[in-house]
């Protein structure tokens, strides 16, 4: 059946089914990735024909850049807070839209809506909300914390980004939790309620332990998304005020395309990649352990 | 839940409604203010417009180049998604059915590549394709989406093709079908449910993507909707009414898509995430 003998018949199969996708994959991802590794050890600017090997100096330049560390630290804060809030909100939403009410699909669709719209547009939407609607409401109600735009205050601007991140992703993660809740058999919950377990007890002793796989996926996705966030960052704060909300993805972009530091920029991009891969692998493997016990 | 009481139900419903209102409030504000003039917006952003004027819309429509941005977005998304579907399904068929050693290596490479974020290869990507003069073209962008879309889509198809019994192939081949006909007329139609899921995930990603087109598309006439919204906003930050109308314009197509395809979208997103 599938045992082509001659090289030419094998080649024919490959050309029909495998060549184009493999070629596209290699040219678009693999080759740039390899060039990227190469760039971190040279001072090649991407187009000139001459370059020198620099050893690890691009990495030392990246590590000794205080702006890079500030950005990395801000990103870690952003990721951690967004991760927790998004998943708490998403889980609560999932419980609400599976509680057996009429119109659940309508509510699900509504909570999911922000995910349809691109980050650039969401950022601009919230720029208006923060700078006009909230300040207006703050002045009218005499609420001090709203009367000046959060976007102009280095301490609050990060919180603005967090609000948008949670708002954007909670609906998506809600769907994952809804699927997880749907996977719990009714007979288990019935047994629990016959044993006298009330809402909270059922939640913490039955539902949450059985939903560890859903948490693994959702935390992984939130982690990846919030580490890589660029477009809402760009349209909401542009990294300002005073680069206080320049998250790491934007920092890498600016380093390369605004300040034209290709070598150190690429080194930073690889450090970012390593950090994300490390944290994601740690998270998933830790969660897998919990999963087995549950 | 079997023991939900009436009062609990009422509480849940109320919570649902309050949260939904909070969720859609920002979008509602944009819609309301898109009908007001600049003075009205600054004076009272929360109130409904005194008169519903479409003036902002006509101005936004022409200045943001809505028609051209919409057509570009449609062309790029539709062509790229069709190519991704064709090539990743056939690629998965190839990887599953031919047990060559190379095929395992390819599959591992595809899986490994999925953890590479775009930012990690963006700089060499731009210099490589810049040197090849492949930036500044919609068709190159479509090709790039094919390259970036192959890994996840092939991986998802791979799991599904494995579940298609080999007897299907055998029967078709005995009936005299060639391998191409076997794939196009037997296998691909069986893959329809997963094709819908993969199509939806790719549409949402490509339609809303900003960073890649911002690096690839240089000429204003090639801009996609997110790009034209972005450049438009740079110029119109103080003219709120027109800016709001532009935002509404850029949200309309995907909202229509959502209304038409709601079930498939929600199912597709869940299946895609759980995979």
């Amino acid at each position: 059946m599938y045992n082509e003998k001659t090289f030419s018949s094998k080649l024919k199969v490959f050309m029909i089914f495998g060549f184009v996708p493999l070629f596209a994959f290699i040219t678009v991802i693999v080759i740039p990735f390899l060039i990227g590794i190469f760039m971190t050890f040279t001072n090649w600017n991407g187009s000139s024909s001459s370059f020198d090997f620099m050893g690890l100096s691009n990495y030392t330049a990246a590590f000794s850049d205080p702006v890079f560390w500030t950005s990395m630290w801000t990103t870690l804060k952003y990721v951690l807070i967004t991760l927790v809030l998004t998943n708490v909100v998403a889980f609560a939403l999932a419980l609400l839209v599976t509680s057996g009410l009429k119109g659940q699909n309508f509510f699900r669709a509504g909570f999911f809506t922000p995910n349809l719209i691109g980050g650039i547009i969401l950022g601009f939407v919230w720029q208006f909300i923060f700078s006009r609607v909230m300040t207006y409401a703050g002045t009218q109600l005499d609420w001090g914390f709203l009367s000046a735009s959060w976007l102009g205050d280095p301490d609050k601007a990060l919180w603005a980004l967090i609000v948008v991140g949670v708002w954007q992703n909670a609906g998506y993660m809600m769907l994952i939790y809804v699927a997880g809740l749907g996977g719990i058999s009714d007979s288990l919950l019935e047994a629990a309620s016959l044993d006298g377990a009330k809402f909270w007890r059922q939640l913490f002793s039955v539902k949450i332990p059985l939903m560890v796989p859903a948490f693994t996926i959702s935390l992984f996705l939130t982690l990846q998304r919030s580490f890589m966030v660029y477009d809402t960052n760009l349209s909401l704060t542009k990294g300002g005020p005073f680069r206080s909300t320049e998250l790491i993805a934007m920092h890498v972009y600016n380093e390369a395309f605004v300040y034209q530091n290709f070598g150190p920029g690429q080194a930073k991009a690889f450090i970012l990649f390593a950090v994300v891969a490390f944290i994601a692998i740690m998270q998933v493997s830790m969660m897998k352990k919990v999963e087995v016990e549950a | 839940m079997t023991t939900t009481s009436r009062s609990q139900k009422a509480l849940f419903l109320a919570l649902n409604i309050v949260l939904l209102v909070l969720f859609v409030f920002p979008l509602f504000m944009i819609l309301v203010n898109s009908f007001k003039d600049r003075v009205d917006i600054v004076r009272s952003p929360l109130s409904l417009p005194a008169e519903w004027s479409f003036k902002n819309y006509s101005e936004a429509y022409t200045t943001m180049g809505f028609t051209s941005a919409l057509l570009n977005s449609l062309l790029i998304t539709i062509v790229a998604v069709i190519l991704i579907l064709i090539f990743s399904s056939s690629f998965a068929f190839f990887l599953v059915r031919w047990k060559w050693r190379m095929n395992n290596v390819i599959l591992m490479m595809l899986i490994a590549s999925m953890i590479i974020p775009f930012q990690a290869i963006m700089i060499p990507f731009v210099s490589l394709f810049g040197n090849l003069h492949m930036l500044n073209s919609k068709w190159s962008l479509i090709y790039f989406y094919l390259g970036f879309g192959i890994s996840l889509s092939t991986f998802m198809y791979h799991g599904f093709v494995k579940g298609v019994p080999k007897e299907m192939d055998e029967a078709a081949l005995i009936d005299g079908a060639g391998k191409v006909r076997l794939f196009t007329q037997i296998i691909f139609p069986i893959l329809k449910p997963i094709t819908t899921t993969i199509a939806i995930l790719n549409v949402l990603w490509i339609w809303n993507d900003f960073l890649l087109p911002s690096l690839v598309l240089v000429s204003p006439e090639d801009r996609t909707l997110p790009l034209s919204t972005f450049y438009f906003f740079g110029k119109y930050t103080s003219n709120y009414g027109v800016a709001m109308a532009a935002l509404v314009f850029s949200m309309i197509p995907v909202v229509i898509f959502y209304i038409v395809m709601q079930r498939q979208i929600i199912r597709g997103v869940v299946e895609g995430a759980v995979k």
Side-chain angles (χ1 to χ4, degrees):
Chain A
M1 293 285 293
Y2 295 109
N3 48 357
E4 285 76 10
K5 289 284 187 298
T6 60
F7 179 74
S8 72
S9 60
K10 282 187 175 178
L11 188 67
K12 199 178 146 204
V13 168
F14 172 70
M15 291 310 280
I16 294 171
F17 294 110
F19 176 72
V20 176
L22 188 63
F23 186 82
F25 169 70
I26 289 177
T27 51
V28 173
I29 296 184
V30 180
I31 293 178
F33 185 72
L34 298 177
I35 299 178
I37 297 177
F38 181 74
M39 280 180 104
T40 63
F41 298 108
T42 63
N43 63 357
W44 192 44
N45 65 4
S47 57
S48 75
S49 50
S50 66
F51 57 83
D52 306 303
F53 280 94
M54 310 281 288
L56 290 174
S57 72
N58 283 327
Y59 286 97
T60 35
F63 277 119
S64 58
D65 177 2
V67 186
F68 173 69
W69 285 109
T70 315
S71 176
M72 190 61 110
W73 177 236
T74 313
T75 309
L76 286 173
K77 257 198 303 196
Y78 169 81
V79 170
L80 187 70
I81 302 170
T82 312
L83 189 75
V84 173
L85 290 180
T86 304
N87 286 284
V88 169
V89 173
F91 191 73
L93 291 178
L95 287 176
L96 272 177
V97 299
T98 51
S99 55
L101 293 170
K102 273 186 197 148
Q104 284 174 340
N105 287 333
F106 173 75
F107 286 111
R108 275 178 212 185
F111 292 129
F112 182 75
T113 308
N115 278 284
L116 296 162
I117 301 163
I120 278 289
I121 296 157
L122 296 183
F124 285 131
V125 166
W126 277 91
Q127 195 194 68
F128 179 74
I129 302 294
F130 279 117
S131 61
R132 288 287 148 192
V133 179
M134 282 198 184
T135 51
Y136 174 81
T139 352
Q140 293 291 310
L141 300 165
D142 211 11
W143 285 353
F145 73 104
L146 282 183
S147 55
S149 171
W150 286 16
L151 302 177
D153 180 335
D155 294 324
K156 290 186 188 135
L158 186 66
W159 283 98
L161 267 178
I162 292 169
V163 167
V164 178
V166 173
W167 176 74
Q168 182 184 2
N169 288 319
Y172 197 95
M173 305 309 152
M174 169 198 74
L175 289 183
I176 297 172
Y177 289 131
V178 167
L181 284 168
I184 300 174
S185 82
D186 284 342
S187 57
L188 259 174
L189 293 174
E190 255 169 61
S193 73
L194 282 178
D195 285 345
K198 291 275 176 341
F199 177 82
W200 293 106
R201 189 68 206 276
Q202 282 191 22
L203 182 63
F204 284 105
S205 304
V206 183
K207 288 182 185 168
I208 291 183
L210 284 174
M211 279 179 62
V212 175
F215 282 107
T216 312
I217 299 162
S218 173
L219 289 175
F220 177 79
L221 284 178
T222 326
L223 194 71
Q224 266 208 328
R225 286 179 169 208
S226 40
F227 246 114
M228 293 306 149
V229 65
Y230 174 76
D231 42 11
T232 39
N233 193 184
L234 179 67
S235 57
L236 186 67
T237 67
K238 286 203 187 84
F242 319 117
R243 298 182 87 172
S244 63
T245 58
E246 189 180 87
L247 298 180
I248 197 73
M250 180 181 274
H251 180 79
V252 169
Y253 180 95
N254 288 345
E255 187 74 9
F257 300 120
V258 179
Y259 304 111
Q260 305 274 314
N261 293 328
F262 290 102
Q266 184 56 23
K268 287 175 180 177
F270 262 75
I271 297 168
L272 166 67
F273 163 54
V275 169
V276 178
F278 176 74
I279 296 181
I281 293 169
M282 286 279 289
Q283 180 251 328
V284 172
S285 62
M286 270 161 54
M287 299 285 290
K288 287 279 176 207
K289 275 193 196 130
V290 183
E291 217 169 290
V292 175
E293 282 164 27
Chain B
M1 237 176 292
T2 43
T3 53
T4 324
S5 67
R6 210 167 246 250
S7 61
Q8 239 175 339
K9 267 198 174 154
L11 178 71
F12 278 146
L13 185 65
L15 265 175
N16 250 327
I17 292 170
V18 169
L19 283 169
L20 188 66
V21 168
L22 272 177
F23 251 80
V24 295
F25 176 74
L27 303 175
F28 180 70
M29 276 291 104
I30 301 303
L31 185 66
V32 165
N33 283 291
S34 67
F35 292 100
K36 299 193 218 167
D37 64 29
R38 197 176 171 277
V39 185
D40 249 6
I41 295 173
V42 175
R43 203 189 299 132
S44 56
L46 279 167
S47 61
L48 292 175
E51 51 181 322
W52 298 79
S53 150
F54 282 88
K55 231 182 89 210
N56 293 330
Y57 280 92
S58 56
E59 191 175 344
Y61 188 88
T62 43
T63 10
M64 79 180 287
F66 180 71
T67 329
S68 125
L70 178 71
L71 291 177
N72 286 334
S73 272
L74 281 173
L75 172 84
I76 291 165
T77 309
I78 292 172
V79 178
V81 171
I82 290 175
L83 291 179
I84 289 174
L85 294 175
I86 293 173
F87 286 112
S88 56
S89 60
S90 59
F91 201 22
F93 176 66
F94 169 71
L95 293 175
V96 171
R97 288 296 200 247
W98 279 270
K99 308 265 178 231
W100 302 346
R101 205 174 308 143
M102 174 185 99
N103 289 10
N104 265 328
V105 179
I106 294 174
L107 186 67
M108 291 315 292
M109 266 170 56
L110 292 177
I111 295 171
S113 79
M114 283 191 268
I115 59 163
I116 303 175
F118 178 65
Q119 278 88 351
I121 57 170
M122 146 183 99
I123 299 165
F125 180 89
V126 168
S127 30
L128 172 65
F129 291 105
N131 284 335
L132 294 172
H133 302 288
M134 279 180 72
L135 300 183
N136 199 14
S137 143
K138 281 180 269 197
W139 302 103
S140 312
L141 182 62
I142 289 172
Y143 175 71
F144 297 146
Y145 279 128
L146 175 64
F148 284 114
I150 280 295
S151 42
L152 179 67
S153 303
T154 306
F155 176 67
M156 291 177 71
Y157 270 124
H158 190 274
F160 212 88
V161 174
K162 266 201 297 195
V164 177
K166 241 184 154 177
E167 287 76 28
M168 297 291 258
D169 300 35
E170 281 161 16
L173 290 174
I174 286 165
D175 285 348
K179 276 160 195 135
V180 176
R181 267 193 66 187
L182 158 69
F183 177 72
T184 53
Q185 302 195 348
I186 312 286
I187 304 294
F188 191 74
I190 300 177
L191 302 177
K192 199 182 159 206
I194 191 80
T195 298
T196 317
T197 299
I198 296 174
I200 281 166
L201 292 177
N202 283 304
V203 166
L204 291 180
W205 157 54
I206 294 173
W207 183 268
N208 288 323
D209 190 31
F210 172 78
L211 186 51
L212 182 60
S214 81
L215 293 171
V216 174
L217 300 175
V218 184
S219 349
E221 65 270 17
D222 282 337
R223 282 176 191 160
T224 59
L225 263 182
L227 275 184
S228 78
T229 317
F230 179 73
Y231 286 109
F232 179 78
F233 245 82
K235 277 181 271 170
Y236 271 77
T237 30
S238 58
N239 200 344
Y240 283 114
V242 182
M244 296 303 110
L247 285 184
V248 175
F249 270 128
S250 44
M251 290 188 268
I252 286 174
V254 81
V255 169
I256 293 175
F257 178 62
Y258 191 38
I259 291 170
V260 178
M261 304 275 294
Q262 206 201 95
R263 282 188 150 200
Q264 288 90 328
I265 289 177
I266 289 190
R267 209 197 58 214
V269 164
V270 173
E271 281 174 2
V274 178
K275 278 267 146 43

